[in-house]
Amino acid sequence: MKENPTIAIIGLGYVGLPLAVAFARKYHIIGFDINEERVSQLKEGEDLTLEVSSEELNEVLSGSEGKKLEVTTDAAALSNATVFIVTVPTPTNKYNQPVLTPLIKASETVGRRLKQNDVVIYESTVYPGVTEDICVPILEKESGLLFNKDFFAGYSPERINPGDKEHTVTRILKVTSGSTPEAAKYIDELYRTVITAGTHLAPSIKVAEAAKVIENSQRDINIAFVNELSKIFRMLDIDTQDVLEAAGTKWNFLKFTPGLVGGHCIGVDPYYLAQKAQEEGYNPEIILAGRRMNDGMGEYVAGEVVKLMIRKECKVKHGKVLILGITFKENCPDIRNSKVIDVISELEKYNLNIDVYDPWASKEEVNEEFGIVLSTSEDELAHDYDAVILTVAHNEFRDFNVASRRNDPSVLFDVKAFYDKKITDGRL
Ligand SMILES: NC(=O)c1ccc[n+]([C@@H]2O[C@H](COP(=O)([O-])OP(=O)(O)OC[C@H]3O[C@@H](n4cnc5c(N)ncnc54)[C@H](O)[C@@H]3O)[C@@H](O)[C@H]2O)c1
């Protein structure tokens, strides 16, 4: 294991790019991605995920020898690396089963370039066992080398939060692990050179894998609980936010808020753990109940809005609805697995006409992903909506003049409890 490694980062998305930039301040980094468009944008200093600024990116792209980032789609460039960090997607399919294809393909690519004493670290979120039971055999097969004799592996989960400019990669304590005590020490020390928040060396790869997947499962279950509370309290005509505020004054009450659970992590990772549990013959009741609750919230919100519209005698048949926000979370352009689409699909069943406004999302991406013509500027919107639903708490919506867009009568439903309660007709 080399003291001053050249590090290859495989997959330059939300996780891989910020990591590559952080490491490029100290090491020579080969950033590899199969997406040619992404790589050519990065070469131009442009990161469409908005996680890295053009200034930072250009700085590391033109860095000095031994401290720079080169980005490429040419896998041959990986031959120069001695450490490989894999940050490719780990999605689920339509049956909510893990899709390990990107991880398998990336392992094949790395395996073909693996040399004596190289180290392969996985960062993608997985269930316990994927690194050693699925990826390592591929590395062995492709390289002809022996695990823990000729090459070593590690797992270090990523904890970044897209759009969060405070908890950036180097400022989040990082869990590390390795396949032998020496590899673990090497990997831990390597991360320590760039992660200013420090590291936690887990006793094994499986522990590190399990830690990541339960972090997100725990969040999912806690949000599912407050979503359930919101359903109960709406029936009782009690404001859930007021209840949470009151209960939150107790020192050990956990502060979670109801909402739509989308994105690439919280709504997906629990299925990874559930699948592994099922393979072992255990049906994870709490994890899957949480998933069912959260996956049903889009439909629930739409139903509540329509009920309110009927109660207020708003135009429902061919009425007009404005949705504020389509990204999976606030102040970031990420639309992956956004649950706003569930609200829209359900409203469409009532023959409502729906406009979606989001100043953060890309028109092209939204059209490609959901077949929706997105409005990205206020000029594109009407002034006579029968319902307005705030689904994402983007900062821009703070100054958005909702009143000037509403018909009389109309409904304003606030999924995120973003606006003053007095001006809304309902919230979670
Ligand atoms: N986005 C987050 O906030 C976040 C946080 C923590 C952990 N994670 C986990 O990190 C992993 C990566 O997530 P992401 O959000 O960065 O995904 P992403 O889709 O933003 O980026 C992944 C990149 O990998 C590339 N890629 C796919 N297959 C490849 C291959 N075989 N070889 C090379 N490149 C390949 C894609 O083109 C893409 O650019 C996932 O496992 C995810 O669960 C994500």
Side-chain angles (χ1 to χ4, degrees), residues 351-423:
N351 280 344
L352 287 156
N353 298 305
I354 297 151
D355 285 346
V356 186
Y357 169 47
D358 194 315
W360 280 84
S362 140
K363 252 185 196 309
E364 295 72 34
E365 232 183 291
V366 168
N367 198 359
E368 206 175 293
E369 187 68 27
F370 304 124
I372 288 173
V373 181
L374 179 74
S375 303
T376 49
S377 119
E378 289 187 31
D379 301 339
E380 299 166 58
L381 307 178
H383 289 272
D384 56 349
Y385 292 102
D386 303 292
V388 178
I389 312 176
L390 182 291
T391 39
V392 185
H394 289 317
N395 288 342
E396 285 78 359
F397 296 149
R398 196 57 75 195
D399 302 324
F400 181 75
N401 189 344
V402 186
S404 73
R405 303 289 171 174
R406 294 176 62 178
N407 226 344
D408 187 17
S410 62
V411 161
L412 172 59
F413 194 88
D414 189 356
V415 172
K416 300 294 293 183
F418 184 72
Y419 291 126
D420 186 338
K421 182 170 70 170
K422 291 191 213 85
I423 68 159

Side-chain angles (χ1 to χ4, degrees), residues 9-18 32-36 38 42 49 51 86-91 101-107 109 123-126 155 157-163 212 216 264-265 268-269 272 328-329 334 336:
I9 306 228
I10 324 296
L12 299 173
Y14 279 88
V15 167
L17 183 68
F32 169 76
D33 201 295
I34 50 171
N35 182 338
E36 290 189 6
R38 171 79 172 152
L42 293 178
T49 67
E51 292 299 307
V86 179
T87 52
V88 298
T90 43
T101 320
L103 214 46
I104 291 168
K105 296 260 172 233
S107 300
T109 307
E123 287 220 1
S124 303
T125 307
V126 292
Y155 182 79
E158 185 49 68
R159 289 170 157 166
I160 58 142
N161 183 20
K212 170 65 190 178
N216 285 350
H264 193 44
C265 292
V268 170
D269 301 346
Y272 272 69
F328 93 85
K329 64 172 289 197
D334 195 345
R336 288 176 299 172

Side-chain angles (χ1 to χ4, degrees), residues 98-339:
V99 176
L100 296 177
T101 320
L103 214 46
I104 291 168
K105 296 260 172 233
S107 300
E108 287 168 356
T109 307
V110 171
R112 279 180 220 125
R113 274 93 198 166
L114 214 54
K115 302 165 298 303
Q116 286 278 343
N117 285 324
D118 284 356
V119 177
V120 187
I121 307 163
Y122 290 86
E123 287 220 1
S124 303
T125 307
V126 292
Y127 54 76
V130 168
T131 301
E132 288 154 302
D133 303 343
I134 295 179
C135 299
V136 163
I138 298 170
L139 296 174
E140 281 191 311
K141 179 169 171 259
E142 295 294 331
S143 65
L145 298 173
L146 270 182
F147 180 46
N148 280 343
K149 181 173 171 287
D150 300 324
F151 75 95
F152 304 88
Y155 182 79
S156 177
E158 185 49 68
R159 289 170 157 166
I160 58 142
N161 183 20
D164 185 337
K165 299 296 170 219
E166 196 187 323
H167 301 102
T168 49
V169 59
T170 58
R171 291 194 215 145
I172 307 170
L173 192 137
K174 207 154 182 354
V175 172
T176 58
S177 64
S179 55
T180 64
E182 296 72 33
K185 185 166 175 281
Y186 177 80
I187 290 166
D188 190 62
E189 280 170 6
L190 181 65
Y191 277 105
R192 270 176 187 269
T193 60
V194 293
I195 306 291
T196 49
T199 58
H200 170 91
L201 177 56
S204 70
I205 287 178
K206 284 193 177 76
V207 166
E209 290 171 322
K212 170 65 190 178
V213 81
I214 68 155
E215 283 169 23
N216 285 350
S217 301
Q218 185 189 62
R219 244 187 109 63
D220 194 45
I221 291 163
N222 280 307
I223 297 169
F225 174 59
V226 286
N227 275 338
E228 182 158 64
L229 295 180
S230 174
K231 286 185 175 181
I232 297 169
F233 293 144
R234 284 187 58 74
M235 283 174 175
L236 301 178
D237 211 13
I238 299 171
D239 187 273
T240 307
Q241 302 292 335
D242 289 346
V243 179
L244 293 175
E245 199 183 322
T249 56
K250 192 182 173 201
W251 70 94
N252 59 359
F253 187 83
L254 303 177
K255 290 181 183 165
F256 285 90
T257 46
L260 304 169
V261 181
H264 193 44
C265 292
I266 297 176
V268 170
D269 301 346
Y271 287 125
Y272 272 69
L273 185 55
Q275 154 110 3
K276 188 65 189 163
Q278 282 162 338
E279 274 176 25
E280 299 297 314
Y282 177 79
N283 191 40
E285 292 177 39
I286 294 174
I287 296 170
L288 291 180
R291 283 286 63 243
R292 269 194 306 279
M293 172 61 64
N294 289 342
D295 272 353
M297 287 309 285
E299 194 182 330
Y300 174 75
V301 165
E304 292 300 285
V305 170
V306 172
K307 277 188 221 161
L308 284 167
M309 290 174 82
I310 293 169
R311 222 173 287 155
K312 279 186 89 175
E313 297 185 5
C314 306
K315 184 176 166 189
V316 176
K317 197 170 179 194
H318 304 302
K320 279 164 75 172
V321 180
L322 174 62
I323 304 269
L324 296 176
I326 190 141
T327 59
F328 93 85
K329 64 172 289 197
E330 63 279 4
N331 305 322
C332 94
D334 195 345
I335 59 163
R336 288 176 299 172
N337 196 25
S338 166
K339 292 294 162 193

Side-chain angles (χ1 to χ4, degrees), residues 22-88:
F23 270 119
R25 310 227 179 254
K26 293 242 163 91
Y27 303 94
H28 179 184
I29 306 301
I30 304 158
F32 169 76
D33 201 295
I34 50 171
N35 182 338
E36 290 189 6
E37 204 182 335
R38 171 79 172 152
V39 169
S40 60
Q41 285 160 356
L42 293 178
K43 280 184 179 161
E44 297 297 313
E46 196 184 6
D47 169 27
L48 291 189
T49 67
L50 307 180
E51 292 299 307
V52 173
S53 69
S54 293
E55 203 185 356
E56 282 175 292
L57 190 51
N58 285 324
E59 202 184 309
V60 289
L61 286 171
S62 57
S64 56
E65 208 43 56
K67 282 183 189 177
K68 69 183 286 189
L69 170 65
E70 62 171 287
V71 289
T72 180
T73 52
D74 180 8
L78 300 174
S79 303
N80 298 325
T82 53
V83 169
F84 299 83
I85 304 182
V86 179
T87 52
V88 298

